[in-house]
Amino acid sequence: MIGGLFIYNHKGEVLISRVYRDDIGRNAVDAFRVNVIHARQQVRSPVTNIARTSFFHVKRSNIWLAAVTKQNVNAAMVFEFLYKMCDVMTAYFGKISEENIKNNFVLIYELLDEILDFGYPQNSETGALKTFITQQGIKGQLQTKEEQSQITSQVTGQIGWRREGIKYRRNELFLDVLESVNLLMSPQGQVLSAHVSGRVVMKSYLSGMPECKFGMNDKIVIDKQGKGGATDDAGKSDLGGGSGKQSIAIDDCTFHQCVRLSKFDSERSISFIPPDGEYELMRYRTTKDIILPFRVIPLVREVGRTKLEVKVVIKSNFKPSLLAQKIEVRIPTPLNTSGVQVICMKGKAKYKASENAIVWKIKRMAGMKESQISAEIELLPTNDKKKWARPPISMNFEVPFAPSGLKVRYLKVFESKLNYSDHDVIKWVRYIGRSGIYETRC
Amino acid sequence: MQEWANQLCENRQFGSKMTDSKYFTTTKKGEIFELKAELNSDKKEKKKEAVKKVIASMTVGKDVSALFPDVVNCMQTDNLELKKLVYLYLMNYAKSQPDMAIMAVNTFVKDCEDPNPLIRALAVRTMGCIRVDKITEYLCEPLRKCLKDEDPYVRKTAAVCVAKLHDINAQLVEDQGFLDTLKDLISDSNPMVVANAVAALSEIAESHPNSNLLDLNPQTINKLLTALNECTEWGQIFILDCLANYTPRDDRESQSICERVTPRLSHANSAVVLSAVKVLMKFMEMLPKDLDYYGTLLKKLAPPLVTLLSAEPELQYVALRNINLIVQRRPEIMKHEMKVFFVKYNDPIYVKLEKLDIMIRLASQANIAQVLAELKEYATEVDVDFVRKAVRAIGRCAIKVEQSAERCVSTLLDLIQTKVNYVVQEAIVVIKDIFRKYPNKYESVIATLCENLDSLDEPEARAAMIWIVGEYAERIDNADELLESFLEGFHDESTQVQLQLLTAIVKLFLKKPTETQELVQQVLSLATQDSDNPDLRDRGYIYWRLLSTDPVAAKEVVLAEKPLISEETDLIEPTLLEELICHIGTLASVYHKPPSAFVEGSRGVQHKRLPGSAGSGESVDSPETTSTAGVSDAPPAVIPSQGDLLGDLLNLDLTPTTAGPPPPAPSSGMQLGGMDLLGGGLDSLMGDESEPLGGDLGGTPAIGAGFGAAPAALPASFSAPVSGGLDDLFDLGGGVGMPMGAYSPPKSVWLPAMKAKGLEISGTFARRAGVIQMEMTLTNKAMSVMTDFAIQFNRNSFGLSPAGPLQVLTPLSPNQSIEVALPLNTSGPVMKMDPLNNLQVAVKNNIDVFYFSCQYPISMLFVEDGKMERQIFLATWKDIPNDNESQFQIKDCHLSSDAASNKLQGSNIFTIAKRTVDGQDMLYQSMKLTNGIWVLAELRIQAGNPNYTISLKCRAAEVSQCVFQSYEAVLKN
């Protein structure tokens, strides 16, 4: 298991050091600094073995978090734990920075004592932790016996992510379907690979211990219903205002630990008791029938050895009534660029020498439109044999629909003990499609 | 260390915001003194501030142990935050101040009775982290109570505490019966208690491989599977990892567990997913392949594995390393998923390299076009390692998918045109393999390759290019010029290039004999006379001999058709792969090494194996035996993989030492026993040059002169007829045991503990009943248990090698010694050593591989039937030239000639005749070495003179020195 946990600043100075196992000595702290943080070359692996000791590290801005072990630990678990620890720290004091860590070092030690015992990760749900790690030491004495046992049963219990007795005057929930669409296209316009990775993020402000059921246009569910001839009454409370495709094929999905996985496996229904506040209900991935919101058509011509002519056309490919925002096209330029002239019909374009790219920004663009940029790039003559690698043209944007075609069909809330029903809950649904790695080779 | 703290301090003075970072700023002199005062302050707030300062100092590595009593005094407090800080301090320093740590015991014991469960748990959690014997004693009672506490939070903490205590004092845990209590917790109503109990038991079980502690049976498995649905993500990992150690009784049980584990594949936590994959991959082995469910399961595995690739890069890396294993074990799972492994421009380099590796493994006819297009893109990227790997991958595609070979070759040619140095070199290396796979197909590109000859500066690329030139010498007009250009700097080249150059020129000569005689002579003499590399010399001599003896045979040997090269490369050896599959998700799967290769001590180093497939409905064994079978016995099947590893290491490390000693002069260097045999027919063959090679060979005077010169450099022994034929070479003598024991020197230390991480080896050699034995005492002077011993010898003069594995059956505990006798045979590979009786040995255990060398008395090799007939003795004595006779003095020996004769006979030195001339006894003796070499001796003993004279005659004269040493040793002991 994890033998120790260290946090360093960018210089390699220790900010936090907590050792859990006897086989990890103080010299481990230095070994990581010398061999990884101060190493000359780029990091070649997130796992480093130094003198039979293994170091796992992740970086957040310029802070290094390292877990150390001498055993054959579950490597995936160690990384998951490090991410989780970052989440917990962020939830407590915001951004992970040197200053914030120093300002909260007592809290961090307290958290580390709680969420890792002898190197075994324990309950690390922020909701539960916040009930008893408060940085107000006296509170421990003021709690009533009931409160105490409520805390412990939440921390260890089946529903470790939610406490009992939550009350809201207005029961409300927000569902965000956030998708990032990834594309790699050949210069000729052939899709080399495309997939959508999506997340359903939920903000719930519900009283009591509500039982929720979430439905979407999952092909497997729809087909099953179609075959059975039965129409689910839930279909009526369609929240998405569905149009376009009937159902989508989901390659794979993963769920927050509140979702009953065995039920999903057997019935493909998504039922759960949600944590309070914001959390990620599910992640999914689709690869079939993706709506690619933009198409990039590049044209690069080398004019002699000292000039490049670039023409890039972008076409928007969605309903004309919808508007895409924050559009940015990044056209890489060679390292020996001496000057660039750009002409674009729409938006603003600038050559950024420090980034070796022409950055073309368009604030808004409606569907089924087209826009073009042309640039002349002057090059310094070089005798460098190495060819310019021609990185792909990348694009950023945001569109108000889900490129995968996913639609929320319903989210039903049942709370039998309190007297509010599904109809009393105010529900909001929003779809946002963003560019992931959206690249076209040129 | 303190620099940042100071800087921050200055910044703070402007901001004047009071925050905790100020605690890091104390660097003044006398601060310890000040802190002491503050710690003893009456004001609670001040106390707390002071403790915070102490912890901050501790973090940056300052020694604040002097404050121990003052900090411990702050322990009695209502303030939970303060209490936790004090505990943190205690955990750090208790070990260095054991006596004072006792002061804390009372508070701990009291806290364990506190009405607040959080405080009870905190106390038991902290106590377990204090590794002081006296405190451990006091821990037992509170722990026992806490294990049965009414509050689940306390119980789950106590469960982990048992593992802590076990780590400090395993015996105590057993004596106190905590293991049984822990086992009971597996049936606890609270899922988190179950999960922690499982984690603790699994850890304890690792250090007791045979204890059957986890006692996994269908009932407990059912409990675990139920808890799996309810506990935290971490708890699910503990349970799944534990399940993976279970061996189901039959395929039905296996299927039902799989069915209950598959929902975990949808968990958001990648570690849960990977651990579930591990269980499924393992249990799938037991399912019959024709079962519908088997197919369903295979289909279910791919999507979650692909999803892992959208996780953070570090997890992607772990996932990719594991997918690499899964793809090797069950290629069908991922065969349609090629696209997800396409490299993204912004992937970290470690992700890129791993993806590339998997792409090559998945390449097939169906997807080759796409793959090639990708690889071509990658080959133009910036990272050198990545580009090289991409180029190499193109070559591997060509070899793997025949239909794509042509496209691959043209892609490689395009890349060569870029003239980027390392791209060109890498391309040439892979083209060599393509030539081998598809002979007579792509040779048209040779011209292009030759253009790039000058830009090659890496040995591998140079060697590949030279190979190509030699192999296709007949099609390259200026092959001789090309090869000659390399010859100029022959001695500066690496061995790889030298060997290749030698072979290539010999090939060239065999193909174009007329124009290249000078060249071949030049390279042969460079290789044999001017080089001190034994491999190169050996190869040089072999070619020389071949060419001079029988050029036709030479042609057959050197230009023989080559075996096809395999399609897959870099495959993990199957037994290792099986073991790694059992370790999916863990570090072992990331390193692609068994845990024993990187984990110290005995923990977690038992080799795991996949279960075999069981017949339907047929229960194999009782669950106890099956569940432990995978861990308890040291499986012999795994050892070969270790052996391979060892072999590699051996070659790596030992080559420089064999190249190290100064080369013997060519004349003596050739007097190897083995070489004698080759030399036998040389005389006759030398005259037989009319054997046609290309018709005009024999007639060319230059050739005659060339080869005529060669023997001049060879030792005289070659021209002498050889008595022992090849048959004798491995004649092991098969003698009967001698009544009198052969002399065996006392044990000496071969490997000191300092050089071998605590393993000390002392030993000696003995010949018992005709069997050579290496008798060793292994002593463990380290702190941890040693297991998994294995031994291997480097090639040596007489082909000594272990006749069986090293028999160390029980683990060697600290301070324990064990006597081992290792029988040897002489059928191993032969290489002349200096000194002749030197033996280089590699011993492996769970910790590392160690090397040492020792010298064996050559008398060990004297066989029991070494008594020569008198007549033959006489004839042989005369026959061996006087040059080969050596004379030695044995001083201070007071034995009579009969006593000496008896003593020597015990070591298989046989007296054939005795003559007395002028009061001087002359003993004529013979002995035979295991490889058939006879040694004849004349021992002269003069009454009253303690100095003996011995004359030794042998066709391989270099053994004489060793034989003399043996005489001396035998006679004087």
Side-chain angles (χ1 to χ4, degrees), chain B residues 78-123:
Chain B
D78 300 339
N79 186 318
L80 201 56
E81 190 188 359
L82 179 57
K83 192 179 261 284
K84 284 181 177 172
L85 286 173
V86 175
Y87 280 177
L88 190 62
Y89 179 92
L90 261 175
M91 286 187 265
N92 250 324
Y93 287 112
K95 224 163 120 187
S96 57
Q97 310 256 345
D99 294 331
M100 280 199 271
I102 299 295
M103 290 161 47
V105 165
N106 258 336
T107 319
F108 279 129
V109 174
K110 219 176 98 199
D111 278 0
C112 285
E113 306 276 341
D114 196 281
N116 185 341
L118 292 171
I119 300 218
R120 293 202 295 277
L122 178 64

Side-chain angles (χ1 to χ4, degrees), chain B residues 868-901:
Chain B
M868 216 177 223
E869 298 249 344
R870 281 178 109 157
Q871 295 305 319
I872 300 177
F873 183 92
L874 261 161
T876 314
W877 185 269
K878 278 185 195 153
D879 208 56
I880 296 176
N882 286 338
D883 286 356
N884 279 14
E885 182 174 342
S886 11
Q887 224 173 54
F888 304 93
Q889 293 280 322
I890 301 172
K891 292 187 174 142
D892 288 329
C893 197
H894 300 281
L895 295 167
S896 72
S897 59
D898 285 341
S901 175

Side-chain angles (χ1 to χ4, degrees), chain B residues 148-159:
Chain B
K148 298 197 165 139
D149 199 286
E150 54 170 21
D151 193 292
Y153 183 78
V154 181
R155 291 201 300 277
K156 72 110 184 163
T157 311

Side-chain angles (χ1 to χ4, degrees), chain A residues 118 120, chain B residues 143-144 146-148 154-166 173-174 176-188 192-205 213-214 220 223-224:
Chain A
F118 202 41
Y120 290 106
Chain B
L143 177 58
R144 200 185 312 284
C146 287
L147 280 167
K148 298 197 165 139
V154 181
R155 291 201 300 277
K156 72 110 184 163
T157 311
V160 176
C161 190
V162 176
K164 291 178 186 170
L165 188 59
H166 186 269
V173 170
E174 280 171 44
Q176 296 277 335
F178 285 139
L179 293 181
D180 293 326
T181 324
L182 201 52
K183 276 189 210 167
D184 293 343
L185 289 184
I186 290 191
S187 315
D188 199 281
M192 194 161 180
V193 177
V194 177
N196 277 3
V198 167
L201 276 173
S202 302
E203 177 167 344
I204 295 171
L213 195 64
L214 264 162
T220 43
K223 278 177 201 156
L224 294 184

